[in-house]
PDB file of all heavy atoms in Angstrom:
ATOM      1  N   VAL D 155     -19.588  -1.714   1.842  1.00  0.00           N
ATOM      2  CA  VAL D 155     -19.151  -1.230   3.153  1.00  0.00           C
ATOM      3  C   VAL D 155     -19.117   0.296   3.169  1.00  0.00           C
ATOM      4  O   VAL D 155     -19.221   0.942   2.132  1.00  0.00           O
ATOM      5  CB  VAL D 155     -17.753  -1.792   3.501  1.00  0.00           C
ATOM      6  CG1 VAL D 155     -17.793  -3.305   3.629  1.00  0.00           C
ATOM      7  CG2 VAL D 155     -16.720  -1.381   2.469  1.00  0.00           C
ATOM      8  N   PHE D 158     -15.022   1.702   1.232  1.00  0.00           N
ATOM      9  CA  PHE D 158     -14.637   0.766   0.185  1.00  0.00           C
ATOM     10  C   PHE D 158     -13.187   1.019  -0.216  1.00  0.00           C
ATOM     11  O   PHE D 158     -12.790   2.157  -0.473  1.00  0.00           O
ATOM     12  CB  PHE D 158     -15.536   0.931  -1.041  1.00  0.00           C
ATOM     13  CG  PHE D 158     -15.100   0.096  -2.206  1.00  0.00           C
ATOM     14  CD1 PHE D 158     -15.419  -1.255  -2.254  1.00  0.00           C
ATOM     15  CD2 PHE D 158     -14.370   0.649  -3.229  1.00  0.00           C
ATOM     16  CE1 PHE D 158     -15.001  -2.037  -3.325  1.00  0.00           C
ATOM     17  CE2 PHE D 158     -13.952  -0.122  -4.310  1.00  0.00           C
ATOM     18  CZ  PHE D 158     -14.276  -1.465  -4.364  1.00  0.00           C
ATOM     19  N   VAL D 170     -13.339  -2.952  11.269  1.00  0.00           N
ATOM     20  CA  VAL D 170     -14.437  -2.054  11.629  1.00  0.00           C
ATOM     21  C   VAL D 170     -13.919  -0.973  12.570  1.00  0.00           C
ATOM     22  O   VAL D 170     -13.192  -1.269  13.520  1.00  0.00           O
ATOM     23  CB  VAL D 170     -15.581  -2.824  12.330  1.00  0.00           C
ATOM     24  CG1 VAL D 170     -16.727  -1.885  12.679  1.00  0.00           C
ATOM     25  CG2 VAL D 170     -16.072  -3.975  11.479  1.00  0.00           C
ATOM     26  N   THR D 179     -15.898   8.959  28.583  1.00  0.00           N
ATOM     27  CA  THR D 179     -16.013   9.718  27.346  1.00  0.00           C
ATOM     28  C   THR D 179     -16.292   8.757  26.189  1.00  0.00           C
ATOM     29  O   THR D 179     -16.538   7.584  26.404  1.00  0.00           O
ATOM     30  CB  THR D 179     -14.723  10.529  27.106  1.00  0.00           C
ATOM     31  OG1 THR D 179     -14.895  11.352  25.955  1.00  0.00           O
ATOM     32  CG2 THR D 179     -13.512   9.638  26.918  1.00  0.00           C
ATOM     33  N   ASP D 187     -10.281  -8.652  12.219  1.00  0.00           N
ATOM     34  CA  ASP D 187     -10.487 -10.094  12.134  1.00  0.00           C
ATOM     35  C   ASP D 187      -9.108 -10.722  11.944  1.00  0.00           C
ATOM     36  O   ASP D 187      -8.366 -10.314  11.052  1.00  0.00           O
ATOM     37  CB  ASP D 187     -11.402 -10.387  10.940  1.00  0.00           C
ATOM     38  CG  ASP D 187     -11.731 -11.849  10.785  1.00  0.00           C
ATOM     39  OD1 ASP D 187     -11.033 -12.705  11.377  1.00  0.00           O
ATOM     40  OD2 ASP D 187     -12.699 -12.150  10.070  1.00  0.00           O
ATOM     41  N   ASN D 195      -0.233   1.596  12.780  1.00  0.00           N
ATOM     42  CA  ASN D 195       1.062   2.256  12.990  1.00  0.00           C
ATOM     43  C   ASN D 195       2.217   1.250  12.916  1.00  0.00           C
ATOM     44  O   ASN D 195       3.158   1.300  13.690  1.00  0.00           O
ATOM     45  CB  ASN D 195       1.072   3.009  14.315  1.00  0.00           C
ATOM     46  CG  ASN D 195       0.028   4.102  14.349  1.00  0.00           C
ATOM     47  OD1 ASN D 195      -0.185   4.786  13.360  1.00  0.00           O
ATOM     48  ND2 ASN D 195      -0.648   4.234  15.473  1.00  0.00           N
ATOM     49  N   PRO D 201      -6.999  -6.424  20.103  1.00  0.00           N
ATOM     50  CA  PRO D 201      -8.328  -6.769  19.557  1.00  0.00           C
ATOM     51  C   PRO D 201      -9.275  -5.571  19.405  1.00  0.00           C
ATOM     52  O   PRO D 201     -10.051  -5.516  18.471  1.00  0.00           O
ATOM     53  CB  PRO D 201      -8.876  -7.764  20.572  1.00  0.00           C
ATOM     54  CG  PRO D 201      -7.656  -8.379  21.180  1.00  0.00           C
ATOM     55  CD  PRO D 201      -6.622  -7.285  21.211  1.00  0.00           C
ATOM     56  N   LEU D 205      -8.176   4.343  18.690  1.00  0.00           N
ATOM     57  CA  LEU D 205      -7.569   5.129  17.624  1.00  0.00           C
ATOM     58  C   LEU D 205      -7.347   6.572  18.054  1.00  0.00           C
ATOM     59  O   LEU D 205      -8.144   7.135  18.798  1.00  0.00           O
ATOM     60  CB  LEU D 205      -8.460   5.112  16.381  1.00  0.00           C
ATOM     61  CG  LEU D 205      -8.579   3.775  15.664  1.00  0.00           C
ATOM     62  CD1 LEU D 205      -9.640   3.868  14.576  1.00  0.00           C
ATOM     63  CD2 LEU D 205      -7.243   3.358  15.086  1.00  0.00           C
TER      64      LEU D 205
END
Side-chain angles (χ1 to χ4, degrees):
V155 296
F158 174 80
V170 181
T179 185
D187 182 343
N195 298 321
L205 292 172

